[in-house]
């Protein structure tokens, strides 16, 4: 096996620094005792983390983002799993067109989607509601859930299912005990990617969110329009810390390599 040369190692190091530097800077500034954004900081302080207690809007927006991301991702998966199984296993007229339709939200700018959803939901009388926000996010995150679930379903060994049928398993038993465990890494990966996309979306959500349904990115965007203090950096640092904790727990319990690569379990081999 060939080793990376010095040029490749330098390139990789610079790439890692380029990707990690913004996160480090944000977390660094969050601990400043000053009332303004400054680098380098003179000393470390938890002033802006304590200040979050005076802004319950951020806590509420964080809860809305969590609930919105979890709900839209779960509903998207309810449609993504049967769609992935149908596309990966059957050949029928319009299959490619249907697949392109499912993935079409990836090709439409979120600004256009936001304006279109705003006009549509207003015309049907549900504009400004949480229901409208959930429907819009389901449409946006569905392609992400579908792609990873489809990759896992396509790489599954169908002979295991044939063996289950030959042993007398019915359709539901085969799906529950053979198919689902085999494609579970793809489902988990798709859910995670869909959740991240929903949680992080700003461009489309800003058109649909109302004072009662503001997500965290929208709340942060509105805050920095009128303020220049480091409070937003403390919010970002808190979210980064929570994300890292979740990833560490996920790696300990399930394994990030299985999630990120959507490798099937023993049933899929």
């Amino acid at each position: 096996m060939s080793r990376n040369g010095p040029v490749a190692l330098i390139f990789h190091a610079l790439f890692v620094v380029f990707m990690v530097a913004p996160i480090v800077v944000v977390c660094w500034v969050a601990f400043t005792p000053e009332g303004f954004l400054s680098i380098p900081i003179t000393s470390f302080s938890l002033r802006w983390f304590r200040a979050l207690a005076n802004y319950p809007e951020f806590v509420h927006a964080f809860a809305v983002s969590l609930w919105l991301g979890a709900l839209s991702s779960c509903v998207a998966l309810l449609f993504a799993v049967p769609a992935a199984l149908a596309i990966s296993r059957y050949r029928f007229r319009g299959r490619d067109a249907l697949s392109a339709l499912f993935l079409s939200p990836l090709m439409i700018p979120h600004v256009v989607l936001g304006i279109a959803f705003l006009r549509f939901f207003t015309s049907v009388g549900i504009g400004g509601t949480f229901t409208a926000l959930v429907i819009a996010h389901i449409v946006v995150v569905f392609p992400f859930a579908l792609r990873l679930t489809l990759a896992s379903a396509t790489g599954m060994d169908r002979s295991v299912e044939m063996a289950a049928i030959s042993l007398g398993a019915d359709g539901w038993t085969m799906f529950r005990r053979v198919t689902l465990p085999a494609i579970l890494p793809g489902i988990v990966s798709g859910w995670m990617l869909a959740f991240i996309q929903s949680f992080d979306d700003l461009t489309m959500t800003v058109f649909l969110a109302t004072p009662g349904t503001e997500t965290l990115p929208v709340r942060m965007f509105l805050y920095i329009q009128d303020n220049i203090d480091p409070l937003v950096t403390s919010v970002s640092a808190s979210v980064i810390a929570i994300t890292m904790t979740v990833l560490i727990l996920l790696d300990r319990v399930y394994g990030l390599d299985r999630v990120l690569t959507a490798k099937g379990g023993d049933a899929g081999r």
Side-chain angles (χ1 to χ4, degrees):
M1 182 176 63
S2 61
R3 294 177 177 272
N4 290 327
V7 176
L9 293 176
I10 293 174
F11 174 80
H12 292 160
L14 291 176
F15 180 79
V16 171
V17 170
F18 178 78
M19 297 296 295
V20 176
I23 299 176
V24 174
V25 171
V26 168
C27 294
W28 190 15
V29 175
F31 290 95
T32 181
E34 308 294 339
F36 52 87
L37 299 172
S38 61
I39 296 178
I41 62 176
T42 56
S43 60
F44 285 88
S45 172
L46 298 177
R47 169 187 176 183
W48 295 107
F49 291 93
R50 291 192 294 265
L52 288 176
N54 299 324
Y55 290 89
E57 299 89 350
F58 282 106
V59 179
H60 178 263
F62 179 72
V64 171
S65 292
L66 285 179
W67 174 235
L68 176 62
L71 183 59
S72 60
S73 301
C74 290
V75 176
L77 273 177
L78 290 178
F79 295 99
V81 171
L85 292 176
I87 293 174
S88 64
R89 299 183 175 189
Y90 302 104
R91 298 294 182 266
F92 52 89
R93 182 176 299 178
R95 173 176 173 270
D96 294 337
L98 187 64
S99 179
L101 175 64
F102 288 156
L103 300 177
S104 60
L106 295 175
M107 299 177 285
I108 303 175
H110 281 203
V111 173
V112 177
L113 285 174
I115 297 174
F117 280 131
L118 176 62
R119 185 177 181 87
F120 172 74
F121 292 140
T122 303
S123 64
V124 299
I126 61 173
T129 64
F130 185 74
T131 301
L133 204 56
V134 171
I135 295 174
H137 276 241
I138 291 173
V139 173
V140 170
V141 305
F142 175 74
F144 296 92
L146 176 63
R147 287 298 296 172
L148 292 178
T149 306
L150 181 60
S152 187
T154 302
M156 178 184 173
D157 185 1
R158 297 292 306 280
S159 62
V160 183
E161 291 182 328
M162 298 299 102
I165 294 176
S166 67
L167 293 174
D170 56 26
W172 170 245
T173 301
M174 181 187 67
F175 174 78
R176 180 171 56 89
R177 303 191 63 177
V178 179
T179 306
L180 187 60
I183 65 174
L184 186 60
I187 294 177
V188 175
S189 304
W191 188 91
M192 287 182 58
L193 191 59
F195 177 83
I196 293 172
Q197 178 65 25
S198 174
F199 189 92
D200 192 52
D201 186 83
L202 169 65
T203 309
M204 181 196 70
T205 308
V206 74
F207 288 95
L208 306 175
T210 59
T213 59
E214 288 178 351
T215 61
L216 186 60
V218 173
R219 180 68 260 170
M220 295 172 67
F221 174 74
L222 296 176
Y223 184 85
I224 62 178
Q225 285 184 317
D226 304 317
N227 303 272
I228 57 173
D229 57 55
L231 182 64
V232 171
T233 63
S234 65
V235 176
S236 301
S238 300
V239 174
I240 292 171
I242 294 173
T243 303
M244 291 180 62
T245 303
V246 172
L247 289 177
I248 292 174
L249 292 175
L250 183 63
D251 182 54
R252 295 295 184 183
V253 174
Y254 191 75
L256 280 180
D257 55 338
R258 296 182 62 194
V259 173
L260 297 179
T261 59
K263 293 181 179 178
D266 294 337
R269 292 188 180 94

